[in-house]
Amino acid sequence: MAKARRVGAILPSMQTHGSMLSPCSNFRLRELASMYFTMVAVFLVILVVAMQGLAPSNTHFPYKVSLDPQGLLELSWNVSYPEQAVYFQILIKKFRFGLLFGMSDRGEFENADLAVLWTDGHSSYFGDAWSDAQGQLHMDSQQDYQLLGAQKAPEGLYLLFRRAFSTCDPKDYLIEDGTVHLIYGILENPVHSLHAINISTMYRGLQRVQLLKPDITIPVLPRDVKIMEITTPSIVIPSQETTYWCYIRELPDNFTKHHIIMYEPVITAGNEALVHHMEIFQCTTESVNIPHYNGQCDSKMKPEQLNYCRRVLAAWAMGAQAFYYPEEAGVAFGGPGSSRHLRLEIHYHNPLIFRGRRDSSGIRLYYTDKLRSHDAGIMELGLVYSPLMAVPPGETAFILTGYCTDKCTQKALPEGGIRIFASQLHTHLAGRKVVTVLSREGRELQVVNADGHYSPHFQEIRMLKELVAVFPGDELITSCTYNTENRSNATVGGFGIMEEMCVNYVHYYPQTQLELCKSTTDPGYVQRYFNTVNRFNDEEVCMCPRVSVPQQFSSVPWNTFNKQILKSVYNFAPISMHCNKSSAVRFPGQWEKQPLPSITKTLREPKPHCPPTPEPRPAVPVPINLGHFRRG
């Protein structure tokens, strides 16, 4: 593999060169001396940055996102896995009287972990704080947000600070893999103390990112790489909060087979806070006559044929960087058996209802006709889109599980197996957690991908920290946790936004015929559940043949007994397996009434790493000298 930079490095690499040593010099002495001076050099660099308060160059902070829709706050960050810490840099473009920044379970301002900068009009302070259930701020007795510097610049005020992944402070948020809900607030008036800050009256909001980006090597692109931009043709973003825009683009005539080896976002300047996520789909070859279209995806004028453009070629979400394929694989497009039609879909999030904003955003594809060793494929894991899988109302954490069984992988995977390198988790609005685990012979081996703070409003393809090898006979088990506290009726599986899904789109190589490996509970056992409800409840669930499963679920009286019985059915009833080829035809075999996989050994929950407990000290803020900083 070619040499390339690593995205997890906080500081530039440094080398220590000593004087020439005689052949008789002790090798171990040289080694110890080199290690010592290297450590001293790195410590001095970190110390200088912290003391000078300089805003590091952008190369130190490869990840960047606008926190607010107006673009007043710009967050940059980097991850140090050796230190188990995240370095944050916030650019406050129009500084008023302070900033609130932090993390919470789902973006709430109550029970949040916060870093706060505030001024009383004369003096400024920085501190690690937390909010209680009423939103009142308190100084944390353990100061874990470590201020490294504050620097004035023509573009605004830079604030640089550090935070360990895990602090083992019960008031602190545990930074984990997956989605992190960031919250922010801008103080418009001076305050004399932390307790005087009123969260409810400030300009505030939330942003979702994946903080812990994987520390992987970025492949070097070949010199003859080709570039294609799929962008909207200068459209006007509708003046509404949510818009999905669709645009059809055709590949050139006689476009031969190529491999996409990288892609990155193209965002129109000024619209960085409005473009939420984007996807490029390739249409099916069965739909030859795809009409040109440039308009809203839910418009009545949208051609029906666009619904057949569902094969994902590229996907980007706010906060994501360029996506690189492994050097040994690429996504095939073009050539015989491949449609020339591509559909670009952009989700615009415009909560401030800006008017007249023109946009030409999209995705830039890097591709080559020098085909790589493997075609990359996408496999769909989880639950079949079926109303048989339902979540009762009023649930805080109801779990549904879908299976890709050993029988299916034995039938469909090559002897050498496949290698999963990326994953995109997906549910609808009730989804809260998603996890896929690899199991072999009844023993859970490793987590493929997991998101304990999953949000359906932030879905991106995520590179895995390491390749996951899956062999014939292995099982892939995907579980989704749902919250229906605010719903009065059952939520059934389906395509509608108020229905639910539980899916993991895994990206892997080499590509196989297996495109869908999912399950659903056997229909007969769901009908037995309705019979049981009738037998033990006064209210009758209609069993008429003409009544659909969703209608039957809607008439269930959702008491504790009925909820527990449904949960038990899903935990022991046999399943119907969908072991499907890309043609939607199942592989040969018996797939109905299959037993649930038996798991005899589960993975242990990882324990947070706790840094050394700091010396006890008063919970007081750190004074900051901002001088006569001009306020916006």
Side-chain angles (χ1 to χ4, degrees), residues 490-612:
T491 301
V492 299
F495 291 92
I497 193 62
M498 295 306 294
E499 297 173 327
E500 267 309 331
M501 294 183 175
C502 179
V503 181
N504 185 356
Y505 301 97
V506 292
H507 295 244
Y508 71 96
Y509 67 83
Q511 187 177 29
T512 70
Q513 293 188 60
L514 181 59
E515 188 165 293
L516 188 148
C517 191
K518 302 165 72 175
S519 71
T520 186
T521 296
D522 180 77
Y525 277 76
V526 175
Q527 289 302 319
R528 293 183 190 181
Y529 167 74
F530 294 134
N531 287 332
T532 303
V533 169
N534 278 337
R535 187 178 307 167
F536 289 96
N537 292 272
D538 294 334
E539 299 181 45
E540 184 172 335
V541 179
C542 181
M543 303 296 295
C544 310
R546 291 170 295 180
V547 176
S548 66
V549 170
Q551 288 174 312
Q552 289 177 300
F553 271 121
S554 67
S555 61
V556 170
W558 289 110
N559 52 46
T560 303
F561 177 79
N562 290 343
K563 291 181 180 181
Q564 289 298 325
I565 293 297
L566 181 63
K567 190 178 297 184
S568 298
V569 170
Y570 290 148
N571 287 336
F572 78 82
I575 56 176
S576 170
M577 267 303 303
H578 287 226
C579 186
N580 293 6
K581 302 179 182 180
S582 56
S583 60
V585 175
R586 295 190 195 187
F587 279 85
Q590 175 58 44
W591 303 111
E592 302 301 330
K593 291 184 171 54
Q594 296 297 295
L596 286 179
S598 174
I599 303 300
T600 57
K601 184 177 181 181
T602 59
L603 291 170
R604 292 182 179 180
E605 287 288 333
K607 293 184 178 180
H609 169 74
C610 298

